[in-house]
Amino acid sequence: MEKAWKRNFIDISPYTAGEQPESEDIIKLNANESPYPPSPEVLKRIKSFDAGSLRLYPSMDALNLRKAAAQRLSQLNNVSLSERNIFIGNGSDDVLATAFRAFFNSDKPILFPSVTYSFYPVWCQLLKIPYKTTPMNEDFSINAADFYPENGGVVIANPNAPTAICQGLEFITDVLEHNSDCIVIVDEAYVDFGGCSAVSLTKSYKNLLVTQTFSKSRAMAGMRIGMAIGDSELTAILDAVKDSYNSYPLDSVAIETGIASINDDAYFKQTLERVISTRERTAKRLRELGFSLTESKTNFLFVQHESKSAKEIFEYLRSNGVYVRYWDKPIISNRLRITIGTDEQMDIMLNLLEKLLKA
Amino acid sequence: MEKAWKRNFIDISPYTAGEQPESEDIIKLNANESPYPPSPEVLKRIKSFDAGSLRLYPSMDALNLRKAAAQRLSQLNNVSLSERNIFIGNGSDDVLATAFRAFFNSDKPILFPSVTYSFYPVWCQLLKIPYKTTPMNEDFSINAADFYPENGGVVIANPNAPTAICQGLEFITDVLEHNSDCIVIVDEAYVDFGGCSAVSLTKSYKNLLVTQTFSKSRAMAGMRIGMAIGDSELTAILDAVKDSYNSYPLDSVAIETGIASINDDAYFKQTLERVISTRERTAKRLRELGFSLTESKTNFLFVQHESKSAKEIFEYLRSNGVYVRYWDKPIISNRLRITIGTDEQMDIMLNLLEKLLKA
């Protein structure tokens, strides 16, 4: 007999993340993590952390982290941002979920591309937000015009995942020009790897919210820090939602190490250059092996082989200790997403592929 | 002109936490934080933390922390729990918000006492959960019979805050016996300071969920760790909600230090004893000064003076650098909540009160 108290349970199907194998021998190219450690300043900050201060609640608004982020993003984007333009959350998933809840309260569907970050429809389901997906072109690019129809909000990952493609700012501006009556979220999780950021547009478009993360380019996935950049009116509402759900989403160590990471810009740039250089080298060799690739502005490649199926390649690599991402889903079922690791890791993978494809 | 895109903004009024003054000179008795640092094992674990591992996502389910918690709670409550009976979140606020969403999806109101943790109605508002509050007796105790009427769920903080009162297990059992068709949440944020835990009841009542926190008795408010204990069917749904919102609510440092805290049981017990001994001593002196107090099973006192108003005492203490908690709210507007600090801090406060009351 069904237990009576189960009547009121929520009905959902959660997001599925990439496998997290425990073994150290595995080459893990399935979660778009950085192959390099975070800045040495992060390590220093952890070592010098005053554990006694943990008895106190963390800063409720992570103000010093917001200030550091505002300053760095102002420089990067040649724009003047203050801490009031920054919202901080427990990873960009938390930030995006908070934004969905804060801004998408329309009966009209929100719009996002049919191939994009697969957490968007999960949040829509959880938060009961109607949504509609827009079509992909054959080359996985998307069309601004698909975001013209009346809607309850727009979400565009740029660069997009898993397609790796970055649309230019004229695309984002086009979407904004046709959506002055809703909030447009641009999810820039991967922007630091060569994408063009829409942060400067937040000054002229008060309905634009840009989200970024410390998990990829700052190699701090384990620390859970994400942020949103936008007009202070938007960040104030994000704060109100945060303070209605969980007032202290970042612990004290996360706040301090986030600041340490931001303050070490030289290391940040150096790591990005290494990842980008490995990406370009890997892309070239994959093309030589018969793969077609989108032009990646991210820390991963989105690939398809001319003859071998994605599933077969995925399973072959996996059985040889190299984990990449494969989805048994329409449109992308013959594609793989391969995170950029170190040159050595890429060579191991490329050699395995060579062996498989020449067999 | 109202901007069109503001139409779809959420409409909420967030929770207000106690003031967080930055000055070191302040005696902060307004957030129920521990006056003692966390276990030295927590400090050690931070110092030895491998910052390089931050490039990877944390454990999605914080499995090792769940295992440690299950083991310790099994011992404490003389019951057999496994990691499948434990859910871990980013502070018990995150755990409770997740539970509200997971289990309170009825058209009928959920029930909680009219004087209790003020985040409950905030979550109800955010998550659109209808609620009804139950009355308090004159002495701030509550009646099991008030939770008999048909409802969509029950939430009882036990010990309750800010009243500090702990109802016995026969009270909880009574509520459970009359609520076999909904989920009953017992919020045990303060239970370690002398309350009676309902954890063992989760074995016989599969609709009981108990929540606890590392923020108070473990002196880790700055680390944001909370947990829920219940039947594996309940924790599975909590996990599904978590994985539909933010898959990695705890960073790697929080997970590791949480385990370190649990494993140092001697320090945990020692700190509790110190807080309890200071509480009893402070309560005695407050009574001598003309205060009436509820019987506290927490790390705070809920007090009222026979002649001076709570507001006046609050303002006097505040102007002398001692922050306690005061609410300008019905029923409790003439009461103060005073967190137990060190003996020295309590003496400073008591001496100030003596000065004020004899003036």
Side-chain angles (χ1 to χ4, degrees):
Chain A
M1 194 193 75
E2 177 80 345
K3 292 150 196 156
W5 41 267
K6 290 172 73 174
R7 282 180 315 199
N8 302 330
F9 283 10
I10 195 168
D11 179 25
I12 42 167
S13 29
Y15 170 76
T16 317
E19 290 174 277
Q20 303 284 14
E22 293 279 320
S23 164
E24 300 261 318
D25 300 331
I26 299 257
I27 297 182
K28 197 166 170 298
L29 308 174
N30 69 343
N32 296 344
E33 291 152 327
S34 171
Y36 304 111
S39 156
E41 296 300 318
V42 169
L43 173 61
K44 269 195 222 164
R45 192 64 200 86
I46 293 178
K47 295 274 180 226
S48 68
F49 187 81
D50 170 20
S53 72
L54 289 177
R55 71 180 186 84
L56 301 174
Y57 281 92
S59 161
M60 205 161 147
D61 52 8
L63 184 62
N64 291 335
L65 179 52
R66 290 188 200 219
K67 283 183 180 166
Q71 202 185 355
R72 185 49 38 91
L73 286 167
S74 295
Q75 289 165 356
L76 268 175
N77 297 282
N78 199 20
V79 68
S80 168
L81 300 167
S82 87
E83 65 272 15
R84 296 184 64 221
N85 299 116
I86 310 288
F87 171 78
I88 296 280
N90 185 250
S92 67
D93 285 350
D94 179 41
V95 171
L96 284 161
T98 304
F100 272 47
R101 195 201 315 265
F103 303 126
F104 296 157
N105 297 285
S106 169
D107 292 335
K108 289 173 212 139
I110 69 164
L111 305 177
F112 49 81
S114 58
V115 175
T116 190
Y117 187 32
S118 52
F119 225 132
Y120 302 156
V122 175
W123 287 318
C124 286
Q125 190 200 13
L126 181 74
L127 303 170
K128 301 191 173 75
I129 299 167
Y131 71 93
K132 234 163 117 172
T133 61
T134 61
M136 314 298 291
N137 298 325
E138 194 121 347
D139 64 356
F140 289 99
S141 63
I142 53 177
N143 309 304
D146 290 330
F147 298 91
Y148 294 173
E150 214 183 5
N151 62 66
V154 168
V155 191
I156 294 171
N158 198 44
N160 196 10
T163 69
I165 296 171
C166 188
Q167 304 285 343
L169 281 194
E170 68 291 348
F171 177 97
I172 302 296
T173 308
D174 190 345
V175 171
L176 284 163
E177 284 295 331
H178 288 85
N179 283 283
S180 56
D181 59 350
C182 73
I183 295 292
V184 175
I185 297 179
V186 178
D187 173 357
E188 296 188 348
Y190 298 100
V191 77
D192 295 323
F193 300 100
C196 48
S197 174
V199 162
S200 64
L201 296 179
T202 59
K203 287 290 159 184
S204 22
Y205 297 94
K206 306 287 185 191
N207 60 326
L208 167 63
L209 190 80
V210 177
T211 61
Q212 297 191 354
T213 177
F214 282 50
S215 298
K216 314 295 180 185
S217 56
R218 295 194 176 277
M220 291 177 74
M223 203 48 110
R224 319 306 306 122
I225 310 175
M227 54 189 177
I229 304 101
D231 188 66
S232 59
E233 201 170 4
L234 300 194
T235 59
I237 295 173
L238 291 172
D239 273 318
V241 172
K242 169 182 87 68
D243 293 337
S244 297
Y245 192 77
N246 182 13
S247 319
Y248 308 92
L250 260 70
D251 64 53
S252 303
V253 177
I255 294 171
E256 292 300 322
T257 54
I259 295 169
S261 169
I262 286 179
N263 288 341
D264 189 359
D265 207 37
Y267 180 88
F268 177 63
K269 286 180 182 149
Q270 192 187 37
T271 312
L272 290 179
E273 277 165 24
R274 287 173 80 179
V275 171
I276 291 169
S277 137
T278 305
R279 178 183 74 203
E280 296 309 312
R281 199 180 65 88
T282 308
K284 186 163 170 283
R285 278 200 57 195
L286 284 170
R287 285 200 182 89
E288 289 163 5
L289 287 170
F291 284 91
S292 60
L293 286 76
T294 57
E295 193 194 343
S296 171
K297 296 289 183 190
T298 66
N299 69 337
F300 58 86
L301 297 168
F302 190 54
V303 312
Q304 172 171 32
H305 194 260
E306 60 192 6
S307 55
K308 279 273 187 240
S309 81
K311 192 164 185 229
E312 191 178 341
I313 299 170
F314 166 74
E315 281 166 0
Y316 173 78
L317 287 175
R318 197 172 181 284
S319 68
N320 283 281
V322 176
Y323 283 56
V324 301
R325 194 86 197 262
Y326 163 76
W327 294 270
D328 190 8
K329 274 187 190 174
I331 316 182
I332 58 170
S333 65
N334 204 25
R335 299 253 163 181
L336 296 173
R337 191 193 70 186
I338 305 173
T339 303
I340 302 302
T342 61
D343 278 322
E344 295 67 33
Q345 291 175 326
M346 292 294 104
D347 284 341
I348 292 171
M349 179 196 71
L350 289 162
N351 292 342
L352 280 170
L353 289 176
E354 209 170 296
K355 213 168 120 189
L356 171 72
L357 297 168
K358 292 198 173 153
Chain B
M1 194 194 74
E2 178 80 347
K3 291 150 196 156
W5 42 266
K6 290 173 74 175
R7 283 179 316 198
N8 302 331
F9 282 11
I10 195 168
D11 179 25
I12 41 167
S13 29
Y15 171 75
T16 317
E19 291 175 277
Q20 301 286 13
E22 293 279 319
S23 164
E24 299 262 319
D25 299 332
I26 299 263
I27 297 182
K28 197 165 170 298
L29 308 175
N30 68 344
N32 296 344
E33 291 152 328
S34 171
Y36 304 111
S39 155
E41 295 300 317
V42 169
L43 172 62
K44 269 195 222 164
R45 192 64 199 86
I46 293 178
K47 296 275 182 227
S48 68
F49 187 81
D50 169 20
S53 72
L54 289 178
R55 71 178 186 84
L56 301 174
Y57 281 93
S59 160
M60 204 163 149
D61 52 8
L63 184 62
N64 291 335
L65 178 52
R66 291 188 199 219
K67 282 183 181 166
Q71 202 185 355
R72 185 50 38 90
L73 287 167
S74 295
Q75 288 166 356
L76 268 175
N77 297 282
N78 199 21
V79 67
S80 168
L81 300 167
S82 87
E83 65 271 15
R84 296 186 63 222
N85 299 116
I86 310 287
F87 171 78
I88 296 281
N90 184 250
S92 68
D93 286 350
D94 179 41
V95 172
L96 283 161
T98 303
F100 272 48
R101 196 203 312 268
F103 303 126
F104 296 157
N105 297 286
S106 169
D107 292 334
K108 289 173 212 138
I110 69 163
L111 305 177
F112 48 82
S114 58
V115 175
T116 189
Y117 187 32
S118 52
F119 225 131
Y120 301 158
V122 175
W123 288 317
C124 286
Q125 190 200 13
L126 181 76
L127 303 170
K128 301 192 173 74
I129 300 167
Y131 71 94
K132 235 164 117 172
T133 62
T134 61
M136 314 298 291
N137 299 324
E138 195 122 345
D139 64 356
F140 290 98
S141 64
I142 52 177
N143 308 303
D146 290 329
F147 299 91
Y148 293 175
E150 215 183 4
N151 62 65
V154 168
V155 190
I156 294 172
N158 199 42
N160 196 10
T163 68
I165 296 170
C166 189
Q167 304 286 343
L169 281 195
E170 68 291 351
F171 177 97
I172 302 295
T173 308
D174 191 344
V175 171
L176 284 163
E177 284 296 330
H178 288 86
N179 283 282
S180 56
D181 58 351
C182 72
I183 294 292
V184 174
I185 297 179
V186 178
D187 173 357
E188 297 189 347
Y190 298 100
V191 77
D192 295 324
F193 300 101
C196 50
S197 174
V199 162
S200 63
L201 298 179
T202 60
K203 286 291 159 185
S204 21
Y205 297 94
K206 306 286 184 192
N207 59 327
L208 167 63
L209 190 79
V210 176
T211 62
Q212 296 191 355
T213 178
F214 282 49
S215 298
K216 314 293 180 186
S217 55
R218 294 193 177 278
M220 291 178 75
M223 203 47 110
R224 320 305 307 121
I225 310 175
M227 53 188 178
I229 304 102
D231 189 67
S232 60
E233 202 170 3
L234 301 194
T235 59
I237 294 172
L238 291 172
D239 273 319
V241 173
K242 170 182 87 66
D243 293 338
S244 297
Y245 191 78
N246 182 14
S247 320
Y248 307 92
L250 260 71
D251 63 53
S252 303
V253 178
I255 294 171
E256 291 301 321
T257 54
I259 296 169
S261 168
I262 287 178
N263 288 341
D264 189 359
D265 207 37
Y267 180 89
F268 177 64
K269 285 180 182 148
Q270 192 186 36
T271 312
L272 290 179
E273 277 165 24
R274 288 173 80 178
V275 171
I276 291 168
S277 138
T278 306
R279 179 183 75 203
E280 296 309 311
R281 199 180 65 89
T282 308
K284 187 164 167 282
R285 279 201 57 195
L286 285 169
R287 286 200 181 90
E288 288 162 7
L289 287 169
F291 284 91
S292 60
L293 286 76
T294 56
E295 193 195 341
S296 172
K297 294 291 184 190
T298 66
N299 68 337
F300 59 87
L301 297 168
F302 190 55
V303 312
Q304 172 172 31
H305 194 260
E306 58 193 7
S307 55
K308 280 272 188 239
S309 80
K311 193 165 184 226
E312 191 179 341
I313 299 170
F314 166 74
E315 281 166 0
Y316 173 78
L317 287 176
R318 197 172 180 284
S319 68
N320 283 282
V322 177
Y323 284 56
V324 301
R325 194 88 197 261
Y326 162 75
W327 293 270
D328 190 9
K329 274 188 191 172
I331 317 181
I332 58 170
S333 65
N334 204 27
R335 298 255 164 182
L336 296 172
R337 192 194 69 186
I338 304 173
T339 304
I340 302 301
T342 61
D343 278 322
E344 295 69 32
Q345 291 175 325
M346 293 293 104
D347 284 342
I348 292 171
M349 181 196 68
L350 290 162
N351 292 341
L352 280 169
L353 289 176
E354 208 169 298
K355 213 168 120 190
L356 170 72
L357 297 168
K358 292 198 173 153

